[in-house]
Amino acid sequence: AYHTIKAVVSTQSGHYGREEREESAMSTIIIRGSTDNIMDDIERAIDDGVNSVKVLSRDQRCLPGAAATEIELAKQLMTYGEQTPGMEQYAIKKFAEAFEVFPKILAENTGLKANEVLANMYNAHQDKVSGMNAGINLEADNCEIMDVVERQVFDIFLTKHWGIKFAVNAACTVLVVDQIIMAKQAGGPKPRKGQADPDDE
């Protein structure tokens, strides 16, 4: 069945209205707020939610959230790098360290110490049975590690897949650049000293 949904999201009164009609599949969302910044945040949240539903309609696979997937990838890559002989092990270890950015950003945004969060997450991921699902509890006042699958905190698989792929492609592109061409300032030759520029007259 096709429905027309008219939703009203208000930050002042805190209510959410909904009206359905069996006419079309169009949806209209009206946002009300006291400031433009609040309405921009609500619009961004709605846009993220709609895009998440669109992605899940294509691929319903999900991964453990709250930086649990990134730390597990970093741990396995670090182990693989230690077993790799030659100079390649340094590149693999640095690639593993790049995944530590995700829990660091989450920790800093919530006011936690990034180094303490990383240490606790690595310790939790040493357990091969349930450690793979260990993530940051962003609702706790201190550094607390939780089972994200039990708390139902998931990330979309396609989002992480394409995000990592694009980041790796960008890094590889920078590494293969032999020379950077600097852009010069546009315009003709500069006027000599003591002479006025005719364009300024």
Side-chain angles (χ1 to χ4, degrees), residues 29-181:
I29 300 177
I30 303 174
I31 301 173
R32 297 175 181 173
S34 57
T35 61
D36 293 337
N37 293 332
I38 294 178
M39 290 189 292
D40 291 340
D41 293 339
I42 297 176
E43 182 181 359
R44 193 179 303 110
I46 294 174
D47 186 64
D48 293 341
V50 172
N51 289 331
S52 299
V53 174
K54 290 172 61 178
V55 173
L56 288 174
S57 64
R58 295 171 49 194
D59 192 335
Q60 298 181 358
R61 290 178 294 177
C62 293
L63 295 172
T69 302
E70 287 79 8
I71 288 296
E72 183 64 26
L73 289 174
K75 188 197 76 171
Q76 294 189 16
L77 284 171
M78 196 70 70
T79 304
Y80 176 71
E82 293 175 354
Q83 299 174 354
T84 303
M87 299 295 293
E88 290 81 3
Q89 61 176 315
Y90 299 104
I92 297 174
K93 290 181 179 180
K94 283 298 180 181
F95 182 66
E97 291 179 6
F99 286 98
E100 296 179 356
V101 175
F102 294 90
K104 285 182 179 179
I105 293 177
L106 289 177
E108 293 174 357
N109 290 342
T110 53
L112 301 176
K113 296 181 180 179
N115 295 331
E116 182 180 358
V117 170
L118 279 177
N120 292 340
M121 290 194 68
Y122 272 118
N123 291 334
H125 277 258
Q126 296 303 321
D127 188 357
K128 296 182 179 180
V129 179
S130 61
M132 297 177 61
N133 302 327
I136 308 173
N137 187 4
L138 301 179
E139 297 179 353
D141 296 333
N142 52 5
C143 181
E144 181 181 335
I145 306 301
M146 66 176 182
D147 190 337
V148 294
V149 175
E150 183 179 343
R151 296 286 187 90
Q152 295 184 355
V153 180
F154 299 103
D155 289 334
I156 301 175
F157 169 78
L158 285 181
T159 303
K160 287 191 179 294
H161 170 76
W162 288 108
I164 295 173
K165 185 175 182 178
F166 287 148
V168 171
N169 290 339
C172 292
T173 302
V174 173
L175 292 175
V176 299
V177 172
D178 296 330
Q179 184 179 3
I180 299 176
I181 302 175

